[in-house]
Amino acid sequence: MKSVLKPVLVASALALSACTGLGAGESGFSDYSAVSVKRVSVGDDSMSVIPPRPWNRQRHVTFGDIREVDTWTLNGPYLDEIDFVSGLKDNRALIRQRWNANQQVPRFRSNMTPPEIAAMLESLFRVRGGAVDFRTLSLTPRPFLGTNGFQIEYEHLDNDELWRKGRVVGAVINGRLYMIMLDAAKLHYYADVLPDFESIVASARLRGA
Amino acid sequence: MCIKCMELSRRSLLVGGGVAAAALHAGVAEARIRPQDMVPLVGPGYRPTEKDELGMWQQMERAEEEIAGSNLLIQDPQVTGYLKDLIGTIGGPAAKDFRIYLARIPDFNAMMFPSGFAVVFSGLLLRMRNEAQLAGVIAHESGHFLRRHMVRSWRDQKRKSDIFAVGSMLAGIGGAGAGVYLGDYVQLAQLGTILSLFAYSREMEAEADAMGMKLIAENGYPPMEMPRVWEQLIGEEKLSARYRRKSRRRGSLFDTHPSPDSRMADLRISAQEVTVPGKVYDDRRARYLATIGPMRQMLLDDQIKLNDPGASLYLVQTLAQDGWNGLLRFYEGEIWRLRNRPGDEPRAAQSYAAAVVYPDAPADAFRWHGIELLKNGRTAEAKAAFARYLAMKPEAPDAAWVRQMVG
C-alpha cells in the first residue's frame, strides 16, 4: 500500500545512498525483486496473474504490510503502484496498525457492499496515505474472478501536493476480499500503466479455479 | 504562535531541549495578564529595521512564497475573503498588513508566522461554532505578532544562552524557504514546531490570550467565546485519547506551558473583566454559518473519514449543541459505520434513518440509509431511499451500482 510505502521509501532511499558507496549494485540487496512475464502468485498465493511486461515486486520487509497484500511498481511507488489483496479475512484491516492509533483504517467485514469497500479505501488513503482530498469518480458493477465484482475509480490529492488516480477491481468471494488496485500519478503515469493493469486484471485467477 | 503550541512544544522539547529548559524558569506561577494592560507594540505598516529581525523576515518571506503556492490551500474566494476581512478587522494596528491562508488540513490549528502571515487549517473552521470563536483564535495569533513575541523570545533566548537550537532553527526555516518541501502539511506542522522554538513562554501565551481577548471585546464579540474554544480543543483531545485508552499526554509538556486548565480559568476571568454589563455582544453565528455552510460537508468529510471516533463524536456533539440537523445526524452515522465494532451497524442505521427526516439531509444520507435497509432485508424501503438518492444526485459516481440495486 502506498500508505506504508512512503515512510518505507524514505528509509530505503537512505539505505540506498548509504549503500551506493559500497557498491550496492554488486551486493545484490534491494527492496524489490523482478516479476517476469509469466503466471505468478500474489499475496497469500491464493491468486495468480500474468504481467504483460516485467514489473517490480516489493519484498515483504516492512513492518506495516500484511500477508494478503502484495505491492508492485514500474517506476517507483511515488509514481505508480499496483496492490494485490488476496483473500483478506473478515475483521482484518488492509494494513497493520497500532491498536491505539487515534485514526484507524476501518476493518474489512464479509458483509460489506461495494460502497462500504470504497469508503474503507477512502479512509485508508486519508488515514495512512496522507490524502487531503479524495474524490470517488465511479463505482460500477464489474465481473472479476468469474463472479459479480465491482470497479471503483478515484483520485486524491496527497500531502506531497501530487494528484494521484486509482482504479480498483475487486470482489468478495466466500466472505474474503480480493482486489487489484492501481494507484498512480494522475499526470502521465496513470494512463501509462492502465493497460498493464487491465491486462493483469484480465489474467487474474484463483488457485484451484 | 499556534493554538496548539502546548502540543507542539512537546516536539520542540525533543528538538531543542535547551530552549524549552530555559523556558522552565518562566513556567512557575505566573500571574494572569490583564487584557487592559495589553498595548500593541507595532503600528500599521510595521517593517523591521534591525539586522536580526530583517534576516528573520527575509526567511519568512521565502516560506510564505512556498505556502502561498501550495495546492493544499483552499482558494474559495468567499471563504478566503471572509478570513481576510476578519483578520483585517480584529488584527489591531497591523490588521491591514496581515495575510491569511487557509490550508486543507483536517486539524484543529492555526499559526502566525513572524512576518505577519497566518495559516488557518480547515479543521479549525469545522470546529468553530460561531464567528466569535474564530475571531478569538485569529486575535490570539495576531496578539503574538502585535506583541512582537517572535523576535522578543528569540533575543531572549540568545541572551540566556548561545543555544545551537536557535541556529538550527534558522537553518530549518532557511531550508524550508529555499525549497525544501513545504507543501506537506506534516512539514508545515514541523515548521510550526520550529517556530515554537521561538519558545513562547507561559507569559507570552498569556499575553496573546489577553491581547486577543481585548481585540475581540473591542469588536463586539462576546468575550466568553474565547475560553470556550480552548475548552473545545482540550475536550476533543481528551476524548480522542480516552477513546484509545490513552491518557492525554501530561508531564513536561504542561510543566513548561500554561496548563490548559489554568489558562482556561484565566481566560474566563479575563472574559468577565472585559465584558461590559448591558452591552450587546453578537457572536455573528448566522454570518459564520452562511459563509462556512457551503463547505461544511467537505470539512466534516475530511474529519470523519479519518476514523478517529473519539474526536469526531466530541466534535459532532459539540456542533449539535446549536441544534441537530440532517448533516450532523448523517455524520454521526458515518462515525459508527467507520468504527464498525459489534453493535455499531445498527447505531449507524439509526442515525441515517434519523438524518433523512431532516430537510437538510445530504444525498449521501439516503444512499447509506438505503444500504442499511437493504442489509436488513427491507428491500422495498431501500429502493425508495436509493431512488431519492438518485433523484438528488443523478450524476452520483456510484449511480451505476445503485441503479443495479434498485433493479
Side-chain angles (χ1 to χ4, degrees):
Chain A
M1 312 261 91
K2 169 149 287 99
S3 30
V4 272
L5 276 176
K6 280 181 185 167
V8 168
L9 200 75
V10 175
S12 57
L14 285 174
L16 205 67
S17 61
C19 288
T20 318
L22 302 170
E26 284 88 50
S27 76
F29 174 80
S30 163
D31 285 339
Y32 295 93
S33 58
V35 182
S36 317
V37 183
K38 59 176 190 186
R39 182 158 290 279
V40 284
S41 298
V42 289
D44 68 352
D45 293 345
S46 61
M47 185 161 72
S48 67
V49 296
I50 307 170
R53 57 175 153 166
W55 274 66
N56 306 286
R57 175 187 215 153
Q58 196 193 2
R59 287 181 200 277
H60 281 260
V61 289
T62 63
F63 185 66
D65 64 7
I66 59 168
R67 212 173 133 253
E68 293 88 348
V69 179
D70 224 344
T71 302
W72 293 9
T73 179
L74 202 56
N75 298 292
Y78 275 89
L79 298 174
D80 57 46
E81 142 175 359
I82 291 182
D83 291 292
F84 300 92
V85 178
S86 61
L88 188 73
K89 292 191 197 97
D90 180 69
N91 207 21
R92 293 280 308 273
L94 284 161
I95 203 160
R96 195 159 292 169
Q97 53 191 347
R98 288 166 66 101
W99 68 271
N100 64 353
N102 282 4
Q103 302 172 355
Q104 300 265 344
V105 178
R107 294 167 182 199
F108 166 71
R109 298 281 183 178
S110 293
N111 68 346
M112 274 183 168
T113 55
E116 288 169 284
I117 292 167
M120 177 177 80
L121 292 175
E122 175 169 356
S123 283
L124 170 73
F125 280 101
R126 284 179 184 266
V127 172
R128 296 292 290 268
V132 295
D133 193 356
F134 186 100
R135 298 170 189 171
T136 302
L137 301 174
S138 72
L139 194 165
T140 46
R142 176 173 171 170
F144 179 55
L145 295 171
T147 182
N148 293 326
F150 55 85
Q151 174 180 296
I152 307 164
E153 285 183 305
Y154 47 80
E155 54 187 29
H156 48 102
L157 172 62
D158 294 337
N159 56 19
D160 60 0
E161 295 186 272
L162 194 62
W163 274 100
R164 293 187 172 82
K165 193 171 173 182
R167 179 181 286 184
V168 173
V169 177
V172 178
I173 299 170
N174 296 328
R176 292 182 175 219
L177 178 62
Y178 295 84
M179 287 193 300
I180 303 182
M181 309 168 58
L182 167 64
D183 196 64
K186 194 176 163 185
L187 216 61
H188 176 74
Y189 291 92
Y190 179 80
D192 186 50
V193 296
L194 189 61
D196 285 47
F197 172 79
E198 283 299 329
S199 161
I200 288 168
V201 168
S203 73
R205 252 191 246 152
L206 282 188
R207 190 170 52 192
Chain B
M1 170 61 38
C2 64
I3 62 166
K4 278 170 95 176
C5 19
M6 328 183 252
E7 177 136 359
L8 287 172
S9 71
R10 173 166 45 82
R11 275 181 273 169
S12 77
L13 271 176
L14 300 174
V15 183
V19 179
L24 262 173
H25 301 294
V28 188
E30 288 284 341
R32 181 178 65 88
I33 291 172
R34 299 185 309 168
Q36 70 251 44
D37 297 336
M38 285 295 100
V39 183
L41 301 177
V42 299
Y46 174 80
R47 298 290 301 177
T49 49
E50 289 179 54
K51 207 180 157 199
D52 58 348
E53 199 179 0
L54 272 167
M56 190 196 284
W57 274 54
Q58 242 169 15
Q59 308 280 14
M60 283 300 142
E61 273 157 21
R62 288 154 77 189
E64 184 174 357
E65 257 175 57
E66 290 277 326
I67 289 171
S70 167
N71 67 356
L72 303 182
L73 293 185
I74 294 175
Q75 305 285 3
D76 181 328
Q78 191 188 341
V79 180
T80 53
Y82 172 75
L83 289 173
K84 195 164 173 263
D85 290 347
L86 194 57
I87 200 167
T89 308
I90 53 160
K96 304 297 174 208
D97 302 321
F98 286 128
R99 284 86 64 209
I100 189 162
Y101 301 96
L102 176 61
R104 187 160 178 189
I105 301 171
D107 197 10
F108 196 148
N109 216 344
M111 54 189 74
M112 173 66 76
F113 288 72
S115 55
F117 71 94
V119 177
V120 170
F121 287 8
S122 57
L124 182 76
L125 295 188
L126 173 62
R127 286 160 171 89
M128 299 298 96
R129 290 169 58 188
N130 52 48
E131 188 176 299
Q133 294 196 339
L134 178 61
V137 172
I138 292 176
H140 168 96
E141 296 304 325
S142 304
H144 282 304
F145 183 82
L146 296 174
R147 296 291 299 171
R148 292 172 46 77
H149 285 165
M150 300 84 177
V151 74
R152 270 170 63 198
S153 67
W154 184 28
R155 286 176 184 161
D156 194 36
Q157 298 304 338
K158 270 198 347 197
R159 187 174 51 75
K160 276 181 189 154
S161 56
D162 192 19
I163 296 165
F164 77 96
V166 175
S168 58
M169 164 195 79
L170 279 186
I173 294 170
V180 175
Y181 206 62
L182 242 189
D184 185 323
Y185 78 78
V186 176
Q187 294 203 20
L188 191 60
Q190 277 167 358
L191 186 61
T193 311
I194 291 164
L195 289 170
S196 73
L197 279 181
F198 284 95
Y200 294 103
S201 60
R202 183 189 173 107
E203 188 190 353
M204 286 180 179
E205 288 301 334
E207 273 194 20
D209 281 350
M211 184 85 243
M213 181 67 80
K214 189 180 174 188
L215 290 170
I216 67 161
E218 282 172 359
N219 281 284
Y221 293 107
M224 208 40 100
E225 288 300 329
M226 205 159 155
R228 253 176 225 147
V229 173
W230 267 256
E231 203 178 319
Q232 282 160 220
L233 170 63
I234 293 158
E236 182 180 325
E237 289 191 341
K238 262 187 192 160
L239 233 80
S240 174
R242 189 194 306 159
Y243 181 82
R244 301 290 178 202
R245 286 186 242 153
K246 293 185 283 197
S247 58
R248 201 165 159 262
R249 288 191 182 87
R250 292 194 175 275
S252 51
L253 174 57
F254 294 110
D255 299 338
T256 54
H257 271 69
S259 89
D261 293 334
S262 73
R263 194 170 165 189
M264 252 197 312
D266 282 357
L267 272 168
R268 282 205 192 98
I269 298 169
S270 295
Q272 280 162 0
E273 205 171 84
V274 298
T275 302
V276 179
K279 181 175 172 181
V280 180
Y281 292 98
D282 183 4
D283 65 12
R284 288 164 228 180
R285 176 173 152 77
R287 188 167 76 165
Y288 181 73
L289 290 186
T291 312
I292 303 304
M295 64 163 61
R296 212 169 196 192
Q297 182 165 7
M298 176 191 99
L299 298 174
L300 277 161
D301 239 29
D302 288 354
Q303 165 65 32
I304 308 288
K305 287 174 176 172
L306 291 174
N307 197 19
D308 180 354
S312 294
L313 264 182
Y314 178 86
L315 172 62
V316 164
Q317 281 163 2
T318 302
L319 295 177
Q321 284 174 25
D322 297 312
W324 281 99
N325 55 36
L327 198 62
L328 292 177
R329 276 288 175 221
F330 166 62
Y331 280 103
E332 181 193 49
E334 290 288 89
I335 295 170
W336 299 127
R337 181 177 64 74
L338 287 168
R339 189 175 82 155
N340 204 357
R341 287 197 187 158
D344 282 346
E345 204 164 352
R347 279 192 197 102
Q350 266 178 2
S351 299
Y352 298 140
V356 296
V357 177
Y358 289 92
D360 71 325
D364 288 345
F366 288 92
R367 189 250 313 254
W368 286 109
H369 182 47
I371 289 172
E372 293 301 339
L373 291 168
L374 194 71
K375 286 171 109 175
N376 285 294
R378 293 159 66 181
T379 317
E381 290 162 276
K383 282 183 180 178
F386 284 141
R388 180 75 188 273
Y389 171 66
L390 289 174
M392 287 173 83
K393 214 171 165 181
E395 303 300 318
D398 56 356
W401 181 84
V402 175
R403 279 199 192 95
Q404 195 188 44
M405 290 299 109
V406 176

